């Protein structure tokens, strides 16, 4: 049998302690499947005083994570500290430079610096694996690299953020407003004290950038992603969505187009008849459309100690077996530069909600603004009658260009009968 694989774990928070627990609990199974033992030789964590039960019994403990990189009894450094820069970046760079394999769950680091780190890993002939960084426990990177490797991917999309999916699901089920449900999510530990990273779509964008790179063989292009979060989704929109046969989901979507690579993260109207519309609560899902395989959907827990540890340890098992791949499925030098498709040229259907004064001629003015921009209406709902007062008017459009839709909305917003800024949500053809 091969000698044990010696592992150092930096960061013993949610994922770090989950990883330690999994390596202990399933040690015998993991050893059989890897053909060798996986042994944690050291951990790095700033706070030695925190009670961690017997999680650290028998392990060398370092206060300074950078001490791990040079240690001779470490083959793999597992970076579970987090953050695009700072210690995490220093540690990963140093570990690779010292010829150690690296496993990380850090999507921010990989989305910002993945290309340079992948290049370094290749130069040093070591692995840099990050399955846990994208959709937690869902093995989507492995599926793209291996099981789907023969396909041209036409489109990839998914529910990539647990916090947003929890909030949108709870809003739909309870009829409550965003702020109320966000506060509940924070109490339950599904949202951070500062939730902006999640609810403004940044976290989903990090994951989409990585997915798109692996799916399309392009360089990670975070800056090329159009990002909108879920702060402006209201209970009323969710109610109208249901009436129109949709559910609202925060999706990350990417596909190559004639104008470049389209990458978008924003709330979407998703037809209720599609499987992804039913991925609720803390679950994530990724759908891949391949030219030969057709549509494949993987659903599972996108975060949490145990699912994320499952992905971290899967990467460790690959390293133990010696079956590692290049980080982004192609050598870094072969990844194509990504040309972003301009969002203004995006073609799609739209849901628009307006609050208007209920008076004759209002609808005609709205219809004229749409007509002048060649946006054709599919359906319209006017809820209730209250002459002279505010009523919601909802309409959906056929496919139109984003720039034309925005010009029409600017004109509609200027009408004195329109009382609030129009709300627009893209309707996805999935
Ligand atoms: N949580 C999830 O469900 C999940 C899912 C997928 C991916 N991830 C990713 O996994 C990574 C870790 O996330 P997490 O949720 O486990 O975070 P976390 O609970 O905050 O854990 C991070 C740990 O790193 C420690 N740390 C900070 N600076 C350090 C340093 N200089 N040296 C050593 N340790 C240091 C922190 O200690 P202090 O408490 O003392 O600061 C903390 O214990 C992140 O990149 C995250 O994006 C997390």
């Amino acid at each position: 049998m091969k000698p044990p694989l010696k592992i150092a774990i930096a960061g013993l928070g949610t994922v770090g302690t989950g990883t330690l627990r999994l390596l202990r609990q399933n040690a015998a199974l993991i050893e059989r499947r890897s053909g060798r033992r996986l042994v944690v030789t050291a951990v790095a964590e700033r706070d030695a005083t925190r009670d961690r039960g017997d999680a650290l019994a028998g392990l060398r403990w370092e206060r300074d994570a950078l001490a791990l990189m040079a240690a001779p009894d470490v083959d793999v450094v597992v970076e579970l500290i987090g953050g695009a820069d700072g210690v995490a970046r220093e540690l990963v760079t140093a570990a690779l430079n010292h010829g150690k394999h690296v496993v990380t769950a850090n999507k921010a680091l990989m989305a910002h610096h993945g290309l340079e780190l992948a290049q370094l890993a290749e130069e040093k002939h070591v692995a840099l694996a990050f399955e846990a960084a994208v959709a937690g426990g869902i093995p989507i990177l492995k599926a793209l690299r291996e099981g789907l490797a023969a396909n041209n991917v036409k489109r990839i999309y998914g529910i990539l953020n647990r916090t947003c999916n929890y909030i949108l699901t709870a809003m739909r089920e309870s009829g409550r407003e965003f702020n109320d449900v966000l506060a509940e999510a924070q109490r339950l530990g599904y949202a951070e004290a500062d939730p902006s990273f999640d609810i403004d779509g940044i976290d989903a964008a990090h994951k989409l950038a990585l997915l798109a790179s692996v799916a399309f063989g392009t360089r990670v292009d975070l800056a090329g992603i159009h990002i909108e979060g879920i702060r402006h989704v209201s209970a009323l929109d969710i109610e109208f969505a249901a009436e129109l046969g949709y559910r609202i989901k925060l999706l990350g979507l990417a596909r190559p187009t004639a104008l470049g690579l389209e990458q978008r993260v924003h709330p979407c109207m998703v037809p209720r008849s599609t499987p992804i519309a039913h991925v609720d609560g803390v679950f994530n899902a990724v759908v891949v459309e391949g030219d030969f395989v057709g549509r494949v959907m993987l659903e599972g827990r996108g975060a949490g100690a145990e699912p994320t540890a499952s992905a971290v340890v899967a990467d460790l098992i690959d390293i133990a077996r010696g079956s590692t791949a290049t980080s982004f499925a192609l050598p870094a030098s072969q990844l194509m530069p990504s040309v972003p498709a301009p969002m203004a040229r995006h073609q799609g259907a739209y849901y628009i909600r307006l609050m208007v004064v209920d008076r004759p001629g209002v609808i005609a003015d709205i219809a004229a603004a749409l007509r002048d921009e060649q946006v054709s209406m599919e359906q319209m709902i006017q809820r209730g009658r209250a002459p002279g007062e505010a009523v919601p008017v909802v309409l959906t459009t056929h496919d139109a260009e984003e720039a034309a839709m925005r010009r029409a909305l600017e004109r509609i917003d200027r009408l004195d009968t329109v009382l609030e800024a129009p709300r627009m949500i893209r309707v996805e053809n999935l």
Side-chain angles (χ1 to χ4, degrees), residues 10-16 44-47 50 52 63-65 79-83 87 105-107 132-133 136 162 302-305 308:
L12 289 181
T14 306
V15 184
E45 175 63 50
R46 287 188 299 202
D47 184 0
R50 204 177 302 159
R52 301 174 198 281
R63 201 167 193 300
D64 176 9
E79 184 279 305
L80 300 172
I81 293 172
V87 183
N106 190 335
K107 50 237 161 186
R162 166 174 86 159
T308 312

Side-chain angles (χ1 to χ4, degrees), residues 12 19 22 32 80 86 90 112 153 176 200 213 229 245 343 381:
L12 289 181
T19 300
L22 171 51
R32 275 205 313 282
L80 300 172
E90 267 180 73
H112 284 276
V153 177
R176 284 178 297 154
D200 292 332
S213 174
M343 194 60 195
I381 305 174

Side-chain angles (χ1 to χ4, degrees), residues 356-371:
V356 303
V357 183
D358 187 6
R359 98 157 74 111
V362 175
I363 302 296
D365 290 342
I366 294 166
L370 293 170
R371 180 204 57 214

Side-chain angles (χ1 to χ4, degrees), residues 46-93:
R46 287 188 299 202
D47 184 0
T49 58
R50 204 177 302 159
D51 179 16
R52 301 174 198 281
D54 66 353
L56 300 191
L59 298 182
R60 192 172 86 244
W61 179 82
E62 299 281 357
R63 201 167 193 300
D64 176 9
L66 293 172
L68 299 173
M69 67 184 181
D73 61 345
V74 173
D75 302 316
V76 191
V77 171
V78 181
E79 184 279 305
L80 300 172
I81 293 172
D85 290 287
V87 183
R89 185 178 177 196
E90 267 180 73
L91 174 65
V92 169
T93 308

